[in-house]
Amino acid sequence: MNLRQASPWIPFACVSALAFLVYRTLSASEWYYALLWLLAGLSAVFAARLLLQTGLRAWPVAATALGLLAGQWWLVEALILRALWRLNGFAP
């Protein structure tokens, strides 16, 4: 893969990696959730752009899904916990 082929993936990978790092390191910051939501939005925009540019072939979709899962793990974890709480009657 040359730089021209990798260039659509670079912003998406950077935002996903940054979101993961923020999730793991900045939990004491007052801007923690605002920054996580901002990075989630950017990641979604870059993922959509990436899928539109590469088409809906199997490997770009799988790589994008894995990138979203890894980068937005905080959101996935929160949604799973909320679903479990709701099933057990402890929903906030």
Side-chain angles (χ1 to χ4, degrees), residues 1-2 4-10 12 47 50-51 53-68:
M1 180 180 285
N2 62 23
R4 180 176 284 254
Q5 291 172 328
S7 64
W9 292 91
I10 292 170
F12 175 69
L50 181 63
L51 289 176
Q53 286 179 351
T54 60
L56 294 176
R57 296 186 315 258
W59 77 268
V61 170
T64 304
L66 287 174
L68 283 172

Side-chain angles (χ1 to χ4, degrees), residues 2-76:
N2 62 23
L3 187 59
R4 180 176 284 254
Q5 291 172 328
S7 64
W9 292 91
I10 292 170
F12 175 69
C14 289
V15 169
S16 292
L18 185 60
F20 184 77
L21 287 173
V22 166
Y23 168 66
R24 288 301 210 188
T25 60
L26 295 179
S27 61
S29 171
E30 66 182 64
W31 293 97
Y32 179 66
Y33 284 107
L35 189 55
L36 282 176
W37 278 110
L38 174 71
L39 291 172
L42 282 173
S43 185
V45 167
F46 286 138
R49 191 188 79 171
L50 181 63
L51 289 176
L52 287 174
Q53 286 179 351
T54 60
L56 294 176
R57 296 186 315 258
W59 77 268
V61 170
T64 304
L66 287 174
L68 283 172
L69 185 66
Q72 305 311 318
W73 181 249
W74 68 274
L75 185 57
V76 173

